[in-house]
Amino acid sequence: MTRRLSIAPRPVPATAMLAMASGVFALLLAFYLPFIGSLHLFDWDELIFAEAAREMLERNDFLRVFVNYVPFFEKPPGFFWLQALSFHWFGVSEGAARLPSALFTAATGALVFVLGCYIRSAGFGLLWALLFGLGLLPVILGKFGLIDPTFNFFVLSSLFCLFAADESRRQDGRQDQPIPKLKWLPGGYFSLAALLLGFAVLVKGPLALAIVVPSFTVYKLVVPRPPISLLAGVLGLLGTLLVAGSWFALETFAHGTGFVTEFVNYQLRITGTNDGHPGFPFFHTLIFIFGCFPFSVFVVRGFRQRVHYRERRFQLLALILFVLVLLLFELVVKTKLVHYSSLLQVPGAFLAARILYRCWHGQSRLHPLELIALGLIGLLLAAPMLLVPYLGTNPALLDSLLKDPVARAYLSTPVDWGWSTFVPGIWLLFITILTIALALSKRDRAAINGLILGAGITANLVWAVFLARVDAYVSTPMVRYIDRVGRSPLAFYGPLTYLPPFYAGRAIANPNSPGQLASLLREQPGLWVVTRQSEIDQIVSLSPLKIQNRYGAYILLGPAQTEERRSNQVASSLR
């Protein structure tokens, strides 16, 4: 006989809830921290942010943001403060740069668990937290030193506090677990929401307001009771502006209006142009479907499933947030980057958790169409994970397929593609087939467990195998040349890169025309230059440069006398 789920959730004591939330936090960190410092930082965003934080410490100036010792107007300093604190405690390194992202992604999982306890039960909260926290893309983004995981935490915390404020004043909520009041804070959850939203603005800018305010406004239009007074709304918004504006005010008072003006101009530009990162239609939709595997498969049924009481109300809020973020980044923001729409992950995982929770308790079954989608997406993800190592172990095939000289140059880098590089694809294929087999044999609990843990392990394998080799092709040669040159004058010629100042620990010129480089050579005759093989013909004739070393796609050029001095040393050793 099928067991029925109780409509009223089982209350969870606050101390037990906090203990379990700490366990969720620690469990997610166990998936985010491995190998976190094993790869060089990647261009552009990771290096921009880490360099901004490094220069904050070096300059002892935490109001203004500089990158390569030039004012940087694109982001407020909130996230850079966190990275600078990490650098202060653990030293300037890749792991320290990425630590805030790992911590705040895990904290988002813990937050989701607590909210899930109040929406339904501790079991539902745990399932929701693990679906989100161990999805492919959430794990990988939790390892990158990007702003978005921290920004998402503050945005979601603010929105959840607004929901909690609304629920705590509800008179017809006896069927739901009571939400404790914040007696220690005047204004309760409204004040906390305003404070958190202000921090979100300090981390990434006014995008936080464009997400939280419309989402909750639409929610209250659909669920008007209990009403919120206009005064409370105005005071909350003023509180947010007070927190967020405190830094803008200090910056303006100390250094004038230059930063604020440039910052506003950038925010306007990024909504109207792709800012150098174009994409294709439905870019973010496809990123969610494939990047949020496996829980993206179950989202569609989560839209349709009917529920009652608090879960129903939060379902509306999750739907509103999901649709708003998707429309915002598909239609308004022209820049197409994988991490931009990461706010879809938490509401998407909630919708999926509603279905899988019922399957876990025997109230529903995994639908055949969901199993087909699971197998298809798993196969489409595993196929390139198997194809890329195969091509890596058979370079002759690539020689016949690749005509682009730039790609050929990168692939000439000595990178090992041993049998172990097939493991991520084999593992993902195995866990997908196993999940489907378990579901068909009516062992849904085992299928859900395997799917969640399998995705988290796959993400770590992708990081350790594939991203490590991307690093070996792209970043490692540049870092080797920086180490070789030491403190000698250095420039990187060609496309814009933010790697040199972080790894050299000083300002590095990045000329992109022969004229600019020629001017630098006149000013610094002993200049060393790193460039790609595709750009070498533009500058090889410039005196006094001579090719000193080739490694993969990159070439090191140095003063001619360096080559002469080396030749003399070799001749002397032969006498």
Side-chain angles (χ1 to χ4, degrees), residues 294-369:
F295 67 81
S296 59
V297 170
F298 307 99
V299 167
V300 173
R301 193 149 55 115
F303 277 99
R304 298 174 56 247
Q305 186 69 41
R306 291 187 177 183
V307 287
H308 301 284
Y309 311 116
R310 181 176 294 156
E311 185 179 349
R312 172 60 177 166
R313 293 188 291 273
F314 189 81
Q315 180 193 28
L316 288 171
L317 182 60
L319 286 172
I320 291 166
L321 176 62
F322 189 93
V323 172
L324 175 70
V325 171
L326 191 59
L327 291 176
L328 178 65
F329 287 100
E330 289 284 20
L331 302 179
V332 180
V333 178
K334 304 299 182 183
T335 302
K336 304 300 181 184
L337 291 171
V338 170
H339 52 88
Y340 267 35
S341 56
S342 56
L343 268 171
L344 293 172
Q345 294 165 3
V346 167
F350 168 78
L351 296 170
R354 297 182 56 246
I355 302 304
L356 294 180
Y357 188 68
R358 290 178 59 81
C359 295
W360 182 275
H361 286 276
Q363 298 300 301
S364 183
R365 294 293 315 282
L366 297 177
H367 195 278
L369 290 178

Side-chain angles (χ1 to χ4, degrees), residues 280-292 296 326 330:
F280 47 83
F282 305 108
F283 174 86
H284 292 292
T285 302
L286 291 174
I287 290 299
F288 175 78
I289 291 172
F290 287 93
C292 292
S296 59
L326 191 59
E330 289 284 20

Side-chain angles (χ1 to χ4, degrees), residues 403-425:
K403 305 302 181 185
D404 183 9
V406 177
R408 283 173 172 267
Y410 275 109
L411 293 176
S412 69
T413 309
V415 175
D416 175 54
W417 286 94
W419 66 266
S420 61
T421 58
F422 288 91
V423 170

Side-chain angles (χ1 to χ4, degrees), residues 198-217:
F199 284 138
V201 175
L202 283 176
V203 166
K204 195 170 182 177
L207 177 63
L209 294 169
I211 293 172
V212 173
V213 174
S215 295
F216 196 69
T217 299

Side-chain angles (χ1 to χ4, degrees), residues 227-239:
I228 296 178
S229 68
L230 180 62
L231 178 61
V234 171
L235 289 177
L237 192 57
L238 288 176

